[in-house]
Amino acid sequence: MDIQTLTLALGDSTHAGRRFDVMPITGDEPVLQVTVSGAEETPVYLTVTDTQILCLAYLFDEQELNPERLNELHENMLRLSVPMPLSSLGKTGDHYVVYGALSPTSGAAEIMQELVTLAENAIDLLQTFEDYLA
Amino acid sequence: MRSILNKLLTAMRGGVNELGEAVVDGQGNRILEQELRDSEQELKQAKQELAALMAESASLARQIRSEQDNASKREQDARKSIAAGQEDLAREVAERIVGHERRAVELTQTRELLQQRIAGLKERVQRAEKQLADYRRELQVVKTNERVLRTTAQIDTNINSQKSSLNTAKETLERIRERQAREEDRQTASATLEKELTGADLDEKLKAAGIDGEQDAIDNVLARLKDSPAQ
């Protein structure tokens, strides 16, 4: 599944009653910004490599957090990362992210399922961890 | 693998995350890729060699069996010759038997040496396969890390260039709450509309005013029954 095929597939499809608004992010890497209807606030970014399809949504940046409760937040993030369907929690640069990786052989249905789940998880996580914001 | 992970962590903690600052430099990456290619080459050669040796060993086994078969066949010939009193013929056959038996022993020795080489080579193949898997895993980690860094940098640049979508978590939460409130309003509105359409809202109002159609009906029946008591 490459970026072009995926862009076309997502633009025309609905999954579990959701529509997808796809916008390519300009730059050297093939990156898509996908907005899932009903979860527009947390766009999902998708990139395809040789070994995986990586989807991620931003939660918050380090400087937005209450530094005194950082350890507690990390502990809770690690614990929630395991049971969360199709998503894991991580950090890249200053960004705390929720992400999921799929096999490059995944079909459109699996990718749409991932996108919907990730966008919804991002919203749930933001609301869950709101108290840790500075 | 552990050294790669440690390098990555050190670089990340040191804040090496900006675009263009690869955590494991391009040189290191190329070395890994070269090692990967060398391992693949070695593995390919070892496997070809192994296949050739195994074919040779199978061929030797066939030859050994053939010599042994011939020896036992000739033994019968020799016995028959002795029984027929043909002592000279029996001696000639016996010489043949010795020849077959010697060749069988020689071939068996050769084959044993070959089996040892095969065992050694199999071990080499296994080692190379394991090393290859290790290199692939390392390279994947390094490449994925670089990809994630480049991708997030690209997303950030893009978000920053269109100021409207630059959001803090608090702003995002506010928008989520607004949407959730709108959805709730819509649900309440549609529930109200449904009540109006089915007349359920009117029934509720009447009940609240102490006018209950259902209760009235029951009272009426009771009154009728009391008017016509049982005989």
Side-chain angles (χ1 to χ4, degrees), chain B:
Chain B
M1 187 64 168
R2 216 167 60 204
S3 73
I4 289 281
L5 293 182
N6 278 329
K7 259 187 217 168
L8 287 181
L9 277 179
T10 310
M12 286 168 179
R13 289 220 188 87
V16 186
N17 280 307
E18 284 78 33
L19 187 62
E21 263 187 282
V23 167
V24 174
D25 57 22
Q27 183 65 20
N29 226 334
R30 273 194 294 282
I31 290 170
L32 257 177
E33 273 173 353
Q34 186 55 49
E35 280 173 349
L36 191 64
R37 274 195 297 274
D38 290 349
S39 286
E40 271 168 354
Q41 195 52 38
E42 193 195 351
L43 183 61
K44 207 174 141 197
Q45 275 172 4
K47 274 183 170 170
Q48 277 169 355
E49 208 178 316
L50 185 58
L53 290 185
M54 283 167 86
E56 203 181 325
S57 170
S59 159
L60 279 175
R62 259 197 314 277
Q63 288 177 49
I64 293 164
R65 226 173 12 253
S66 159
E67 295 295 346
Q68 286 165 343
D69 286 353
N70 283 335
S72 53
K73 231 182 289 166
R74 288 299 178 204
E75 263 181 38
Q76 285 176 4
D77 292 343
R79 280 201 192 89
K80 280 178 193 160
S81 303
I82 291 167
Q86 302 267 4
E87 191 71 21
D88 287 348
L89 193 57
R91 175 166 293 276
E92 210 176 310
V93 175
E95 278 168 13
R96 289 280 178 87
I97 292 173
V98 169
H100 285 308
E101 280 176 350
R102 270 196 196 131
R103 273 196 295 281
V105 169
E106 280 167 19
L107 289 171
T108 304
Q109 279 170 351
T110 311
R111 190 166 178 265
E112 273 166 10
L113 286 176
L114 202 58
Q115 288 298 105
Q116 281 172 23
R117 275 177 67 200
I118 288 173
L121 202 55
K122 271 187 180 163
E123 211 183 288
R124 224 176 90 201
V125 166
Q126 274 173 6
R127 257 206 318 272
E129 272 176 343
K130 187 188 168 296
Q131 202 172 40
L132 205 55
D134 285 349
Y135 283 146
R136 283 206 184 105
R137 224 153 40 93
E138 284 183 16
L139 197 61
Q140 202 174 318
V141 169
V142 171
K143 281 186 153 178
T144 304
N145 182 58
E146 282 178 3
R147 184 58 169 268
V148 169
L149 290 183
R150 282 203 300 271
T151 301
T152 46
Q154 195 169 314
I155 297 167
D156 293 353
T157 313
N158 218 271
I159 290 176
N160 285 329
S161 71
Q162 26 168 281
K163 288 276 181 240
S164 60
S165 49
L166 180 67
N167 288 305
T168 64
K170 277 189 176 161
E171 284 165 357
T172 306
L173 275 162
E174 196 49 48
R175 280 165 56 215
I176 292 169
R177 255 192 294 277
E178 279 166 16
R179 176 177 53 78
Q180 287 174 340
R182 276 200 308 277
E183 278 168 9
E184 220 165 282
D185 288 348
R186 231 190 348 260
Q187 266 171 17
T188 316
S190 75
T192 311
L193 188 66
E194 194 175 330
K195 274 185 188 170
E196 277 174 15
L197 288 174
T198 57
D201 62 329
L202 205 56
D203 290 344
E204 269 175 28
K205 278 185 197 160
L206 287 168
K207 215 172 195 171
I211 306 165
D212 187 335
E214 182 70 10
Q215 194 56 50
D216 286 352
I218 294 167
D219 290 345
N220 285 341
V221 170
L222 276 177
R224 199 171 68 221
L225 291 173
K226 279 178 189 158
D227 282 350
S228 54
Q231 292 168 358

Side-chain angles (χ1 to χ4, degrees), chain A residues 107-126:
Chain A
E110 283 86 21
I111 297 171
M112 287 190 273
Q113 177 66 43
E114 174 75 33
L115 291 167
V116 171
T117 311
L118 209 51
E120 283 296 333
N121 282 346
I123 288 175
D124 290 342
L125 287 164
L126 265 174

Side-chain angles (χ1 to χ4, degrees), chain A residues 2 6 9-10 12-13 20-23 40 46 52 57 63 66 69 74 76 84 86 97 101 123 125 130 134:
Chain A
D2 59 80
L6 197 59
L10 288 176
D12 286 341
S13 311
F20 303 91
D21 187 23
V22 187
M23 191 181 79
E40 290 88 351
L46 181 153
Q52 59 184 346
Q63 54 269 25
N66 177 354
R69 299 189 67 194
H74 288 163
N76 287 339
M84 201 140 46
L86 301 182
V97 298
I123 288 175
L125 287 164
E130 185 171 8

Side-chain angles (χ1 to χ4, degrees), chain A residues 10-127:
Chain A
L10 288 176
D12 286 341
S13 311
T14 57
H15 180 85
R18 312 291 191 124
R19 277 170 293 99
F20 303 91
D21 187 23
V22 187
M23 191 181 79
I25 295 285
T26 46
D28 295 336
E29 301 296 329
V31 186
L32 292 181
Q33 177 184 300
V34 184
T35 312
V36 180
S37 68
E40 290 88 351
E41 300 82 7
T42 48
V44 180
Y45 298 95
L46 181 153
T47 186
V48 182
T49 75
D50 301 343
T51 47
Q52 59 184 346
I53 299 173
L54 189 69
C55 305
L56 63 89
Y58 285 179
L59 294 175
F60 27 74
D61 284 1
E62 189 165 353
Q63 54 269 25
E64 294 183 76
L65 296 167
N66 177 354
E68 281 164 25
R69 299 189 67 194
L70 215 50
N71 278 341
E72 196 187 330
L73 172 68
H74 288 163
E75 164 95 17
N76 287 339
M77 288 180 88
L78 283 173
R79 289 191 185 282
L80 278 188
S81 189
V82 182
M84 201 140 46
L86 301 182
S87 315
S88 311
L89 288 163
K91 193 180 177 190
T92 167
D94 286 336
H95 304 302
Y96 285 84
V97 298
V98 55
Y99 71 97
L102 290 97
S103 154
T105 60
S106 305
E110 283 86 21
I111 297 171
M112 287 190 273
Q113 177 66 43
E114 174 75 33
L115 291 167
V116 171
T117 311
L118 209 51
E120 283 296 333
N121 282 346
I123 288 175
D124 290 342
L125 287 164
L126 265 174
Q127 294 191 313

